[in-house]
Amino acid sequence: MSTTSNAPKKNGIVEWIDYRLPIFTFMNHELREYPTPKNLNYWWNFGSLAGIVLVVMILSGIFLAMNYTAHVDYAFVSVERIMRDVNYGWLLRYIHMNGASMFFLVVYIHIFRGLYYGSYKPPREILWWLGLVILILMMATAFLGYVLPWGQMSFWGATVITNLFSAIPLVGEPIVTWLWGGFSVDNPTLNRFFSLHYLLPFVIVGVVMLHLVALHTHGSNNPLGIDTKKNPKDSIPFHPYYTVKDMFGLGVFLVIYAGFVFFAPNFFGEPVNYVPANPLQTPSEIVPEWYLLPFYAILRSVPDKLAGVIAMFGAIFILFLLPWLDSSKVRSATFRPIYKQLFWIFLADCLVLGWCGAQHPEGAPLLIGRLATAYYFLHFIVLLPLVSKFEKPRPLPESISTPVLKTEKA
Amino acid sequence: MSESAHASATHGHPGHGEGETRRDFLALAATAFAGAGAACALWPFIDSMNPAADTLALSTTDVDISPIAEGMRVTVKWRGRPVFIDHRTKKQIDEARAVNISELRDPAKDEDRAQKAEWLVMVGVCTHLGCIPLGQKQGDPTGDFGGWFCPCHGSHYDTSGRIRKGPAPLNLPVPPYKFLTDTSVSIG
């Protein structure tokens, strides 16, 4: 076991291929010797976890599609057939259903990790943008997929979300008709949603590749938020140190994921979606899946239709400006006493918005939702620019090794 | 072969600036032409997502209104969405007509919304985000103005289907319809 030498083993066939298509050199460079900061904590597990969940979603989805029928008369029954008659169909569907929730959970943690440690700051702005593009594609894919079982919530969720576009002045109505392919959510809508739901995950894979290229250009950020290229002692090879750490995290994650799949498969779902779609009857309450609730709360807290839609989309698009709204040179919140507090308040604000999104928009929840929406934008537009200007950050260590050595002396 | 290569070489050399501008112009013109062509080729794909001919062909619905008694409300399906037919009582008509229309969010006279005062025909889709307002069935909530109430986000409509309270921006739309006979309506 010569684990210390990180070079790939010599092998005639491998060398023959590698000379013509340098895939093994590439893999060795990006997955084995890729220099990684030595101080990454467990919050850095969630990027690779997200990638693995994406693969699980694509695989389970491909097999579900083999038994699914995208037609208003058969969609609901075909899903029930998957649940009752198809061998292990129930397992595939529960993996896919809960996988969507797990995907968002993992990605939201990954994003908040980036917010805390300033991973969006130079030179990683495009890396951050690509991540946001992935988030938007994920939301679109999840929404399209939720429509496919053609239950009541599928139908009415599709109706409400597509109607958001009717808020656009002048061209709103023709756009909605174009999205539907008719005058209401109907068979043409279901067909195209299935087509797009199958397409978008592969688009996500493409953007993930770009995300990785951007990541590997300047390497991972780290909990101290300092550049590690200056000191060679600050980096360790990705394999075996982080492959092992990622695998361990994956094991823990799979326990939780499997727990939902096998013991609470409908925990995240809405019971009313087991009622077949009825275009003539709206369910008493239309609620999106949990991962969209904060945005739904923002939509509903603005009394004007168009302004509400703008606020909801603005809540995501403002994140693209984050590298400029937060102009502090210091990345990690560890060294930013005021930003650190703002981060936790902002996280709480997002959770409050999520809670409001699940409530009936009247009385106290409506008022709380409005305040939380106001704070969401206040955080980005007012607080972050001011704090990044006036905050006095704590002194940064020169390298990752330095603070460790100091504590050893003391 | 060699002749033409020679010719282009001698052409390219003298007058650098002129040659560059001519080449730039050709490159720009070719790119613009290809771009416009690509945009045109995109249109059939986009338009294929608009309603198809068979979807458009289903665009009228005829309804026999003779069994609808005064005070009764009936829902029929037109273009995949519900249409409310309301045989209004005298009281409901009077209420709808007594309103000062300048106070309305989407001002419209009841006289303009109902061809015959006792018959109100509207698309039963909330103008906020497309839910179906309640009020068609006996015992449904009808909102603060005796018309319809949308449970999704709390819009109240009056007995003329006009928006009175809540987030919806517009009145329930009146579809194109005509009375074929006294007891039959054609919607669409």
Side-chain angles (χ1 to χ4, degrees), chain A residues 38-340:
Chain A
K38 67 179 182 183
N39 60 337
L40 299 189
N41 56 32
Y42 276 110
W43 298 113
W44 262 262
N45 276 52
F46 289 86
S48 73
L49 274 184
I52 293 167
V53 181
L54 176 61
V55 173
V56 170
M57 290 304 280
I58 289 178
L59 287 178
S60 54
I62 287 172
F63 286 91
L64 283 172
M66 293 177 189
N67 283 294
Y68 171 76
T69 312
H71 188 284
V72 290
D73 293 339
Y74 307 106
F76 189 86
V77 252
S78 76
V79 172
E80 285 308 304
R81 187 178 155 269
I82 288 172
M83 292 302 288
R84 291 148 202 260
D85 295 341
V86 175
N87 299 333
Y88 291 107
W90 60 273
L91 181 61
L92 290 174
R93 177 159 173 269
Y94 282 155
I95 285 175
H96 201 70
M97 251 171 77
N98 290 285
S101 282
M102 291 299 124
F103 202 0
F104 276 96
L105 184 67
V106 164
V107 162
Y108 280 146
I109 293 174
H110 186 61
I111 292 172
F112 275 97
R113 195 287 320 277
L115 289 177
Y116 187 86
Y117 293 111
S119 300
Y120 47 85
K121 287 171 180 279
R124 297 188 181 83
E125 299 95 322
I126 292 184
L127 174 63
W128 173 252
W129 285 351
L130 290 167
L132 292 174
V133 171
I134 294 170
L135 175 67
I136 292 169
L137 287 170
M138 276 174 64
M139 287 175 169
T141 311
F143 160 69
L144 293 167
Y146 193 72
V147 176
L148 302 184
W150 210 242
Q152 271 290 67
M153 206 55 95
S154 299
F155 182 89
W156 290 100
T159 300
V160 168
I161 300 295
T162 48
N163 263 307
L164 293 179
F165 293 91
S166 70
I168 303 168
L170 301 173
V171 290
E173 288 297 331
I175 285 181
V176 174
T177 305
W178 176 72
L179 288 173
W180 288 339
F183 303 102
S184 58
V185 174
D186 210 331
N187 201 45
T189 325
L190 179 60
N191 264 301
R192 63 190 55 188
F193 277 22
F194 183 46
S195 168
L196 294 173
H197 182 68
Y198 210 120
L199 166 73
L200 288 189
F202 296 97
V203 178
I204 293 179
V205 170
V207 184
V208 167
M209 296 291 180
L210 295 176
H211 193 64
L212 287 174
V213 172
L215 172 70
H216 283 220
T217 304
H218 289 284
S220 293
N221 184 28
N222 65 77
L224 295 177
I226 55 175
D227 287 323
T228 52
K229 289 204 169 141
K230 284 182 271 177
N231 188 344
K233 279 186 178 168
D234 281 354
S235 294
I236 48 176
F238 190 79
H239 181 73
Y241 299 105
Y242 285 111
T243 41
V244 162
K245 193 168 183 171
D246 279 351
M247 285 305 120
F248 175 71
L250 176 65
V252 174
F253 167 75
L254 286 179
V255 169
I256 297 166
Y257 184 5
F260 281 111
V261 169
F262 291 105
F263 296 102
N266 288 302
F267 178 80
F268 296 107
E270 281 293 325
V272 75
N273 215 31
Y274 284 105
V275 176
N278 179 356
L280 296 184
Q281 202 199 336
T282 311
S284 58
E285 201 88 53
I286 296 182
V287 194
E289 292 285 85
W290 68 267
Y291 41 79
L292 299 176
L293 286 174
F295 301 103
Y296 194 57
I298 291 175
L299 169 76
R300 296 197 301 187
S301 33
V302 183
D304 181 75
K305 181 171 162 179
L306 178 61
V309 174
I310 290 172
M312 186 183 73
F313 285 108
I316 299 175
F317 282 101
I318 200 163
L319 291 167
F320 282 89
L321 303 178
L322 186 57
W324 294 274
L325 293 171
D326 175 8
S327 59
S328 169
K329 294 271 186 293
V330 177
R331 292 197 190 101
S332 174
T334 311
F335 303 104
R336 301 183 61 189
I338 302 175
Y339 174 74
K340 189 193 251 179

